[in-house]
Amino acid sequence: MAMLDTNSPEQVCSAYAECAKGATVTTFSAIIGDEPVYQGKGDDARPGASIIGIISIISKKMVWSVLLEFPRETAVALAERFAGFEIPFEGEDMGDVVGELANILAGDLTSRLSGMGIQGDMSLPTIVRGSGIDMIVPEGHSEQMSFSSSVGAIHLRIVSGEPHNATCRRSGS
Amino acid sequence: MRKLRALVVDDSRIMRTMVMTTLGKAGLADFEFTEAEDGVDALAKFDPKLIDIIFADWNMPNMSGYDFVRKIRINKKNDHIPVIMVTSEKTVGKMSDALSRAGANAYICKPFTVADLSNKLAKLVAGIPERTDKPSGGGFFSKLVGGSG
């Protein structure tokens, strides 16, 4: 992988987006058994209940955050594929699974960023339930991505911002 | 099949269940499990006389798996207990840190399959010494005269 000019915000954001796409395809291919397909930005309006795993990668210059959102049907199907048993959407275990999925995605993403010369540490995941949730970072860059898969839609929002704006919980804290 | 006592450390209950289930399917040993939800909990539950093998996640609240492994490796008497990191951390630097600086013996990336576990663990499990389940020296008289027990 080519080293990045980390002083160029445009290059960095573009590279982050490509890494996030790749990490999503790799992660969910391994779990589902077939590749999710990138569908572009997707709809801003995503009606219905969903569950979101939020995780960040903290480097010296930037914080890279990922909001991994599953509609109810996707969450239930994916959780069963991942864990090997049925997990009710409303229960705590569903939050546990989504946190782990965000964790695995972030691990792949961190590895890809490392290959481009961007070193970072993963935060602990945070789980949110709701719909249309957005993460606002002052002076940050944000991009929405949607994927289709055999278990349903997968939505990803990637956000990059300054480290002093980070609100994530670090490992070991 | 030999019996082994495993400490499984992960802040995710689902992940601990998956590790235990997959180990059961791998058929390397008949495992008896102790679970811990972070490094602090694992330190409290770790007893080198009662644990044969450890599976530890990396990123956890309160104390990371990396720091837990570093702490137990400070005591050289724990060196015979294999530690396997089971984690989503995939960078070469982190793997190297876990194996050479923290003292883990093996590294398994999430998500993992039964084959992944079998391939990484077969030799490690075979190398775990058989327990005699007898106290090594010590006992009442030894303690009375100030010996180790």
Side-chain angles (χ1 to χ4, degrees):
Chain A
M1 240 183 263
M3 295 304 253
L4 203 56
D5 176 6
T6 53
N7 292 316
S8 165
E10 294 78 19
Q11 267 197 45
V12 166
C13 287
S14 174
Y16 179 42
E18 285 308 304
C19 287
K21 269 187 218 167
T24 304
V25 170
T26 298
T27 297
F28 293 103
S29 295
I31 294 166
I32 300 168
D34 52 81
E35 270 195 21
V37 177
Y38 177 61
Q39 299 291 325
K41 184 174 167 288
D43 293 325
D44 282 335
R46 297 186 296 280
S50 61
I51 185 164
I52 301 163
I54 305 172
I55 195 162
S56 298
I57 299 161
I58 307 146
S59 72
K60 283 184 187 164
K61 289 184 186 176
M62 301 280 273
V63 174
W64 318 85
S65 297
V66 169
L67 285 76
L68 180 59
E69 180 177 349
F70 305 113
R72 182 193 193 98
E73 297 74 23
T74 306
V76 170
L78 198 46
E80 186 170 356
R81 290 281 184 102
F82 180 65
F85 49 90
E86 281 185 27
I87 295 177
F89 181 73
E90 294 78 7
E92 266 190 46
D93 283 348
M94 180 58 73
D96 189 339
V97 168
V98 171
E100 272 306 305
L101 293 173
N103 207 19
I104 293 169
L105 176 72
D108 193 290
L109 181 50
T110 305
S111 176
R112 288 170 191 262
L113 290 171
S114 174
M116 291 189 167
I118 300 172
Q119 307 303 326
D121 293 319
M122 287 165 52
S123 75
L124 298 173
T126 300
I127 305 303
V128 176
R129 291 181 187 267
S131 60
I133 290 171
D134 208 350
M135 188 171 177
I136 300 170
V137 178
E139 300 169 11
H141 171 80
S142 172
E143 189 171 334
Q144 174 80 22
M145 301 177 187
S146 285
F147 298 79
S148 61
S149 77
S150 59
V151 294
I154 297 169
H155 305 292
L156 198 74
R157 179 170 285 280
I158 59 170
V159 181
S160 53
E162 301 275 320
H164 62 262
N165 288 323
T167 56
C168 49
R169 186 176 178 188
R170 293 194 182 230
S171 176
S173 66
Chain B
M1 202 184 295
R2 68 182 295 197
K3 291 187 187 302
L4 289 177
R5 291 165 286 193
L7 176 61
V8 180
V9 191
D10 200 306
D11 55 328
S12 162
R13 188 190 79 83
I14 296 291
M15 213 59 236
R16 294 196 305 269
T17 303
M18 288 170 67
V19 168
M20 294 187 289
T21 303
T22 310
L23 284 169
K25 289 178 182 173
L28 295 165
D30 181 10
F31 285 98
E32 179 185 299
F33 295 107
T34 299
E35 296 179 62
E37 58 185 22
D38 58 40
V40 171
D41 192 23
L43 270 183
K45 290 174 177 171
F46 173 67
D47 182 339
K49 297 191 200 73
L50 299 178
I51 297 293
D52 299 307
I53 188 167
I54 298 171
F55 298 88
D57 185 17
W58 190 310
N59 291 308
M60 296 182 287
N62 303 316
M63 183 188 291
S64 69
Y66 179 88
D67 286 336
F68 162 68
V69 175
R70 279 183 59 233
K71 283 189 184 295
I72 63 168
R73 286 298 191 226
I74 287 171
N75 187 343
K76 295 299 173 194
K77 290 184 181 174
N78 298 331
D79 280 359
H80 65 286
I81 300 174
V83 176
I84 297 91
M85 301 297 296
V86 183
T87 173
S88 58
E89 293 278 7
K90 288 167 81 166
T91 61
V92 171
K94 293 277 190 183
M95 290 191 200
S96 173
D97 275 352
L99 296 170
S100 58
R101 295 174 84 178
N105 299 89
Y107 201 99
I108 294 172
C109 290
K110 298 173 182 175
F112 51 83
T113 61
V114 175
D116 291 334
L117 278 187
S118 288
N119 293 339
K120 291 268 178 161
L121 296 183
K123 278 190 184 170
L124 277 176
V125 167
I128 296 172
E130 294 282 350
R131 286 188 178 272
T132 59
D133 280 325
K134 288 180 185 177
S136 53
F140 177 76
F141 185 74
S142 176
K143 286 179 184 170
L144 197 62
V145 297
S148 60

